[in-house]
Amino acid sequence: KLTGTYGTTFNAPSMIQLSAPPYWGANPDLKPETSKNIELGAEKQHDWGVTEIKVYKNEIKDAFLSDTTTGFNWTNNGGLNTRGVELLVNANISGYSVDFSHDYNKSRLKDALTQSIRRPQNTTNLTINKQHGKFNSRVQLIKKSSSIDGGNKLGGYTLLNLATNYGIN
């Protein structure tokens, strides 16, 4: 199956961004953010599950930027361009529901050569679910690559979530 989506968004500034006390960096001239998004994908159904690949592009104009070095002054930057590819696999293996995804993206401020702040280039997610009678157990592993924040490198991290629930009814 081939898929495609196109969308536009609009994000108005909040009242805090527009009219907060001056020490919070309010900017009454802040423009709304707008964006255009396009995504193309291909999906294949198998006996054991589904595989899917998507490519996407997102262009944001007048993105909100808070400059923490000058007291959180809100401004509009030139924009943010994000392009990427996402791979997804959903499978049922011996009664286990296995979901895997990997997202690779390049997210750049307009006319910049480096990855945007706090936006990891790689995100991987593995989730395994198993139903045991009225119990449903889940293990989730999320890995995000390092990113930058104002010239400082933020280390990547791995997060492990364990959950079990019991269906009373």
Side-chain angles (χ1 to χ4, degrees):
K1 173 169 64 169
L2 298 176
T3 61
T5 61
Y6 174 80
T8 60
T9 61
F10 174 89
N11 183 18
S14 71
M15 291 305 293
I16 289 175
Q17 292 168 322
L18 292 172
S19 60
Y23 53 86
W24 284 358
N27 180 355
D29 299 323
L30 202 59
K31 299 177 197 171
E33 292 178 329
T34 58
S35 73
K36 293 180 182 177
N37 313 286
I38 188 166
E39 179 180 284
L40 301 171
E43 181 181 310
K44 172 78 171 132
Q45 182 75 43
H46 307 276
D47 292 339
W48 49 265
V50 177
T51 56
E52 188 174 358
I53 189 166
K54 298 176 183 179
V55 293
Y56 57 89
K57 180 179 178 183
N58 181 355
E59 293 182 0
I60 300 174
K61 293 183 182 174
D62 295 321
F64 301 143
L65 180 66
S66 174
D67 184 359
T68 57
T69 61
T70 58
F72 293 99
N73 291 323
W74 288 100
T75 61
N76 292 108
N77 69 15
L80 180 67
N81 296 320
T82 302
R83 293 183 174 104
V85 62
E86 184 175 22
L87 171 67
L88 300 114
V89 178
N90 300 1
N92 190 344
I93 303 169
S94 299
Y96 289 86
S97 173
V98 179
D99 297 315
F100 171 82
S101 68
H102 182 78
D103 186 16
Y104 171 80
N105 79 65
K106 288 185 178 182
S107 187
R108 310 270 194 265
L109 291 174
K110 193 170 187 174
D111 301 324
L113 300 175
T114 59
Q115 189 79 353
S116 295
I117 61 171
R118 296 187 204 105
R119 297 188 191 272
Q121 209 167 35
N122 292 287
T123 302
T124 304
N125 183 0
L126 174 65
T127 304
I128 301 171
N129 286 297
K130 176 71 174 175
Q131 187 76 35
H132 303 279
K134 290 189 172 191
F135 287 95
N136 185 356
S137 299
R138 181 182 60 146
V139 175
Q140 181 183 36
L141 190 66
I142 300 170
K143 176 150 179 53
K144 295 206 176 203
S145 64
S146 61
S147 58
I148 59 168
D149 182 15
N152 299 317
K153 185 175 180 179
L154 302 174
Y157 63 89
T158 301
L159 178 65
L160 175 65
N161 292 315
L162 303 172
T164 296
N165 62 51
Y166 180 80
I168 295 173
N169 294 332

